[in-house]
């Protein structure tokens, strides 16, 4: 039974697709090239017009220059897979409701219903998978449950957009330009597939809660600049705006030190900025930043630290807690972490010629001295006092009693 005519706009001639429905199974799709004066039907038009792709079915809208148009309160429901080789447009109070996968190979323009979700627990995905650069825009701020970037030439926002569950990268960058991507899923990281060549260039608004590690895959046109955020406690914090700025911030301020060691220079590719919503009265958080694209300064992980600028007029400062065990170094990538921060601002990685950590002297004697000094080996633990010399020179000494001295024959 014929259930409708689909209008596909392309070139000087308008193509139409006739859909047939068989026993709750897949749609069978046929395409013909009729002139525009033969038919006047649009894709989905009217408050009661619904086009539905059933679960387990795949429908492809194909042809040179075709567009998939939905308007005048029409509804396109995707429970299976709908593949559009051209642009996808949503107009005049119409809506797309996606529980399966809607693959778009042209541009996405939404001037109608913002939400792209179909009610229920299943997360629907809109995948941008074109062979040339694509755009996501429109007068409505689309709310995608899942958004997948699968375009090596990149996807660019022409208006603010929202992802409510997961932003996934297969290949390519998402460039926000002057606009912003909002990630509203606070319950989990909500990002996947990010890495070199797969990240956000521009502006990310990350909604947050406490005790979740949020990975924030930022970068530039050529470099991947990952950062992370974990909020321990907060009052009034809902979201944080994240950006990365390419900039050489050298020279360092005179007298800047970490753990009493001078910070001699900054990694010279750029810095990260976190800006919270208004009304935050208290916060404690940790941040991790990972720099690439900078000039290699050499050394080891112990030569690097996160330096912060709270925007309070003090410039770059040693704030929060620097832990000696949280940095990583390679000739191309430096990762550093700063803990127990209490205000937001900008962050950069500092380099010290002298290491920030000096290991304790190695000794062949463990000495416990004083009436209040206690050395305890917990139940289930094993402690070995050993050395490279002869056994007589390796000692466990408890002052004045000598009850712990190792016998020379031991």
């Amino acid at each position: 039974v014929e259930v409708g005519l689909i209008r596909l706009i392309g070139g000087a001639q308008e193509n139409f697709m006739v859909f047939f429905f068989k026993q709750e199974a897949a749609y069978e799709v046929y395409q013909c090239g009729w002139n525009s004066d033969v038919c006047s039907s649009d894709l989905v038009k009217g408050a009661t017009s619904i086009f539905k792709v059933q679960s387990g079915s795949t429908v492809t809208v194909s042809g040179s220059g075709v567009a998939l148009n939905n308007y005048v309160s029409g509804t396109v429901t995707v429970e299976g897979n709908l593949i559009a080789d051209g642009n996808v447009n949503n107009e005049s109070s119409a809506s797309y409701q996606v529980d399966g996968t809607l693959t778009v190979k042209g541009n996405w323009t939404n001037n109608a219903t913002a939400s792209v979700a179909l009610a229920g627990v299943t997360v629907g995905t809109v995948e941008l998978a074109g062979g040339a650069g694509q755009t996501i825009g429109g007068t409505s701020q689309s709310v995608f449950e899942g958004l997948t970037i699968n375009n090596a030439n990149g996807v660019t926002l022409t208006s603010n957009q929202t992802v409510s569950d997961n932003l996934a990268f297969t290949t390519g960058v998402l460039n926000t330009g002057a606009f912003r991507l909002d990630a509203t899923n606070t319950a989990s990281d909500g990002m996947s597939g990010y890495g070199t060549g797969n990240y956000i260039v521009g502006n990310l608004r990350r909604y947050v809660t406490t005790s979740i590690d949020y990975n924030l895959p930022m970068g530039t046109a050529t470099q991947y600049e990952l950062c992370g955020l974990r909020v321990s406690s907060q009052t009034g914090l809902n979201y944080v705006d994240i950006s990365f700025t390419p900039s050489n911030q050298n020279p360092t301020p005179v007298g800047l030190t970490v753990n009493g060691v001078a910070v001699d220079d900054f990694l010279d590719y750029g810095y990260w900025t976190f800006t919270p919503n208004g009304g935050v009265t208290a916060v404690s958080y940790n941040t991790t930043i990972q720099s690439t694209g900078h000039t290699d300064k050499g050394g080891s992980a112990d030569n690097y630290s996160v330096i912060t600028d709270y925007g309070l007029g003090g410039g770059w400062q040693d704030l929060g807690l620097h832990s000696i065990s949280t940095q990583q170094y390679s000739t191309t990538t430096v990762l550093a972490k700063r803990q127990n921060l209490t205000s937001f601002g900008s962050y950069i990685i500092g380099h010290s010629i002298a290491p920030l950590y000096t290991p304790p002297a190695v000794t062949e004697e463990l000495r416990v001295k004083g009436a209040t000094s206690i050395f305890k080996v917990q139940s289930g633990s094993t402690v070995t006092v050993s050395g490279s010399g002869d056994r007589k020179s390796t000692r466990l000494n408890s002052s004045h009693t000598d009850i712990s001295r190792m016998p020379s024959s031991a």
Side-chain angles (χ1 to χ4, degrees):
V1 178
E2 181 178 302
V3 297
L5 294 171
I6 305 301
R7 184 183 185 188
L8 305 173
I9 303 173
Q13 176 173 287
E14 293 188 346
N15 298 321
F16 291 82
M17 302 181 76
V18 184
F19 287 81
F20 294 87
F21 185 71
K22 280 183 153 183
Q23 310 257 335
E24 299 295 323
Y27 287 98
E28 292 185 354
V29 185
Y30 302 91
Q31 180 175 349
C32 53
W34 298 336
N35 293 327
S36 59
D37 59 350
V38 175
C39 298
S40 59
S41 298
D42 293 290
L43 170 57
V44 180
K45 182 177 180 180
T48 58
S49 299
I50 299 174
F51 173 70
K52 182 176 182 179
V53 180
Q54 298 279 5
S55 176
S57 303
T58 297
V59 172
T60 300
V61 180
S62 63
S64 176
V66 298
L68 185 58
N69 294 316
N70 181 23
Y71 67 105
V72 193
S73 301
T75 301
V76 175
T77 300
V78 183
E79 294 180 351
N81 300 292
L82 176 58
I83 302 170
D85 281 351
N87 297 335
V88 174
N89 303 303
N90 200 36
E91 307 283 349
S92 306
S93 302
S95 64
Y96 283 88
Q97 299 178 351
V98 182
D99 235 10
T101 300
L102 170 56
T103 300
V104 182
K105 297 185 179 181
N107 299 325
W108 170 276
T109 302
N110 187 0
N111 298 320
T113 305
S115 175
V116 189
L118 179 63
V121 297
T122 303
V123 174
T125 298
V126 174
E127 179 184 28
L128 278 294
Q134 294 174 270
T135 62
I136 302 175
T139 57
S140 296
Q141 182 169 341
S142 296
V143 181
F144 303 99
E145 285 187 305
L147 178 65
T148 297
I149 306 302
N150 186 13
N151 186 335
N153 294 297
V155 176
T156 300
L157 302 189
T158 59
S159 61
N160 294 341
Q161 304 296 322
T162 298
V163 176
S164 64
D165 189 86
N166 186 67
L167 173 64
F169 292 89
T170 301
T171 186
V173 301
L174 176 62
N175 194 326
T176 71
F179 301 100
R180 187 188 69 235
L181 179 73
D182 295 357
T184 60
N185 176 14
T186 62
S188 66
D189 183 20
M191 306 273 177
S192 61
Y194 48 83
T196 302
N198 302 336
Y199 51 84
I200 299 168
V201 178
N203 306 297
L204 170 64
R205 174 166 290 180
R206 193 63 174 92
Y207 284 75
V208 298
T209 188
T210 57
S211 303
I212 300 290
D213 290 314
Y214 297 106
N215 290 302
L216 311 166
M218 309 301 292
T220 67
T222 57
Q223 299 293 336
Y224 171 48
E225 308 293 339
L226 178 67
C227 58
L229 173 65
R230 181 183 178 89
V231 179
S232 302
S233 62
Q234 59 83 22
T235 302
L237 179 65
N238 297 313
Y239 64 79
V240 180
D241 288 340
I242 315 294
S243 63
F244 178 82
T245 303
S247 174
N248 185 348
Q249 291 290 294
N250 288 298
T252 59
V254 175
L256 178 61
T257 63
V258 173
N259 289 357
V261 178
V263 177
D264 297 288
D265 42 25
F266 295 131
L267 296 189
D268 55 10
Y269 191 68
Y271 62 91
W272 297 255
T273 300
F274 295 178
T275 305
N277 59 276
V280 178
T281 58
V283 68
S284 178
Y285 68 97
N286 303 337
T287 187
T288 303
I289 57 177
Q290 177 178 290
S291 177
T292 64
H294 56 267
T295 303
D296 179 32
K297 298 294 183 179
S300 70
D302 292 333
N303 296 96
Y304 297 91
S305 60
V306 174
I307 306 299
T308 61
D309 179 357
Y310 280 176
L312 302 178
W316 295 110
Q317 304 169 65
D318 174 29
L319 300 171
L321 174 66
H322 171 79
S323 173
I324 60 175
S325 61
T326 54
Q327 283 59 244
Q328 299 176 24
Y329 166 78
S330 75
T331 57
T332 60
T333 305
V334 176
L335 180 148
K337 184 174 182 178
R338 185 63 66 138
Q339 299 171 294
N340 301 344
L341 292 165
T342 57
S343 185
F344 290 101
S346 295
Y347 315 85
I348 197 167
I349 295 181
H351 167 255
S352 300
I353 296 174
L356 302 177
Y357 169 66
T358 302
V362 177
T363 179
E364 294 178 336
E365 180 182 30
L366 174 62
R367 178 177 294 176
V368 182
K369 181 178 181 180
T372 60
S373 298
I374 299 174
F375 175 72
K376 182 177 181 180
V377 179
Q378 298 281 3
S379 174
S381 302
T382 299
V383 174
T384 301
V385 179
S386 63
S388 58
D390 58 41
R391 292 188 177 184
K392 292 183 179 180
S393 65
T394 304
R395 299 175 181 273
L396 174 61
N397 289 333
S398 179
S399 295
H400 307 305
T401 63
D402 207 31
I403 61 173
S404 300
R405 184 180 299 273
M406 297 176 63
S408 58
S409 60

